[in-house]
Amino acid sequence: MPDDTIPSWEDVARLHGRTIYNFAYRLTGNADEAHDLVQEVLLRVRKGLQAYTPGSFEGWLWRITRNAFLDEVRRRKRRPTVPLPDGDHDGTGSTPAPEEVLAAVRLSEDVQAALLALPYEFREAVVLCDVVGLSYEDIAAAADVPIGTVRSRIHRGRRMLKELLE
Amino acid sequence: MSHWGDRLGAYLDGEVDEQTRTLIAEHLTGCGVCRSELADISWARSVVRDLPIIELPPGIVPGVFASRRRRRRAFRPAWAWAASAVTAAALTLGLVIAPGQADSTFELGSLVDRHVARVVLDPGISAIRGPVSGP
Ligand SMILES: [Zn+2]
């Protein structure tokens, strides 16, 4: 998206809705929270677009997303938590899948569990880099930290993941 | 610099300048410590990047046009349509199976209505109950 155009709200929803959902899902491991976050972020984007001045759109969008996410986490802390689903997600049982499919599912569940075990700052940096696909510069803008901090968090986050998944 | 540390991640991500990239590449040819570190974080990077992308649950975007309370109003036309369609179906069914028992048919209809209304009003239900992992 060129930096001199202001996208419409519908563009943001269409182009970034799924990414925002995946960001929240990977940070929480919870579809319910991811669902609420997407709606909250899009509401804030809709309000915020009026005041948006062309610049780094990604940095702007992900700063809003991150703040909405942290607010949502704080709000939910006052409510009973939903345990992270383990194995069979819908609880209805499933037909056996080929070995390699099962192995891939197990790995992705292990990776998700390992992500959740990281301290928040590291998890966020890794998810923004490797799930959302932001540049270090945009991550720095979103998280409001120097780029050296982003580099360090991503590196240490990956190192921790490697150790957790060994 | 003895080892490259967290610059190795930046190197993988293409987040170092050309000169640094060359220096790191040269260093890697002679340093097992950095090569091993690079292999580790490269593996961690790829398993996160390979996580399945989860599709947005249907209906999630229109619901955001209004606040959560007002959203119910925004969905009312769809709800009314679905509810009356089911009522019509239930009434038809009732008339076919048990003509003359209008009262019980009516109850069945409104019971189904409420269920349908709930499902239509909350598009998140399928997202919450459905599989949370991607394909
Ligand atoms: Zn070295």
Side-chain angles (χ1 to χ4, degrees):
Chain A
M1 188 171 299
D3 267 356
D4 57 344
T5 52
I6 300 176
S8 70
W9 181 88
E10 288 80 4
D11 286 342
V12 178
R14 187 169 48 82
L15 296 173
H16 300 281
R18 187 175 73 171
T19 314
I20 294 166
Y21 184 80
N22 277 262
F23 163 79
Y25 183 80
R26 293 306 173 194
L27 284 183
T28 63
N30 185 304
D32 188 12
E33 291 184 40
H35 181 283
D36 282 1
L37 182 89
V38 172
Q39 300 209 318
E40 181 61 29
V41 168
L42 292 178
L43 276 174
R44 291 188 189 195
V45 165
R46 193 153 163 257
K47 282 185 204 148
L49 274 177
Q50 290 150 10
Y52 172 73
T53 48
S56 167
F57 180 76
E58 297 273 342
W60 178 83
L61 173 66
W62 288 96
R63 185 193 291 253
I64 287 182
T65 302
R66 176 179 186 271
N67 289 339
F69 175 81
L70 292 175
D71 289 347
E72 190 76 5
V73 168
R74 277 181 217 114
R75 193 174 68 76
R76 281 177 178 268
K77 270 198 176 148
R78 299 191 289 267
R79 298 185 354 202
T81 54
V82 180
L84 183 70
D86 185 28
D88 222 10
H89 292 299
D90 56 11
T92 58
S94 59
T95 51
E99 288 283 302
E100 63 269 28
V101 175
L102 279 179
V105 168
R106 278 200 200 100
L107 177 62
S108 88
E109 284 174 358
D110 289 348
V111 173
Q112 178 67 63
L115 273 175
L116 294 175
L118 297 188
Y120 177 76
E121 291 80 0
F122 301 98
R123 190 183 343 147
E124 177 190 74
V126 167
V127 168
L128 285 174
C129 181
D130 292 327
V131 175
V132 176
L134 293 190
S135 68
Y136 285 19
E137 193 184 345
D138 284 336
I139 298 171
D144 202 18
V145 293
I147 208 159
T149 305
V150 171
R151 186 170 60 227
S152 163
R153 285 178 181 175
I154 290 171
H155 186 85
R156 288 175 62 195
R158 287 172 177 162
R159 177 114 286 280
M160 285 183 240
L161 284 177
K162 169 69 180 160
E163 280 156 19
L164 285 164
L165 290 164
E166 257 171 354
Chain B
M1 183 180 290
S2 52
H3 297 297
W4 282 93
D6 66 17
R7 299 264 168 181
L8 292 172
Y11 172 77
L12 271 181
D13 292 326
E15 293 274 358
V16 292
D17 60 35
E18 189 58 30
Q19 192 192 0
T20 308
R21 203 187 63 78
T22 308
L23 287 172
I24 293 175
E26 281 170 9
H27 178 87
L28 284 169
T29 61
C31 179
V33 173
C34 284
R35 271 205 307 277
S36 164
E37 179 76 357
L38 186 70
D40 283 359
I41 59 162
S42 176
W43 181 84
R45 177 180 184 266
S46 66
V47 293
V48 176
R49 288 183 178 229
D50 289 346
L51 282 169
I53 294 167
I54 305 162
E55 287 305 323
L56 211 53
I60 201 170
V61 171
V64 85
F65 275 105
S67 73
R68 277 172 203 161
R69 197 153 48 84
R70 287 182 58 213
R71 190 178 77 189
R72 290 176 174 266
R73 242 174 262 151
F75 270 88
R76 206 157 184 180
W79 166 79
W81 175 84
S84 52
V86 172
T87 306
L91 281 170
T92 309
L93 199 71
L95 283 172
V96 171
I97 294 170
Q101 294 188 351
D103 284 350
S104 58
T105 306
F106 177 72
E107 274 177 14
L108 170 72
S110 39
L111 221 120
V112 178
D113 280 359
R114 279 199 293 274
H115 174 71
V116 170
R118 199 170 68 89
V119 173
V120 173
L121 281 171
D122 194 343
I125 284 178
S126 60
I128 296 160
R129 293 196 180 156
V132 289
S133 282

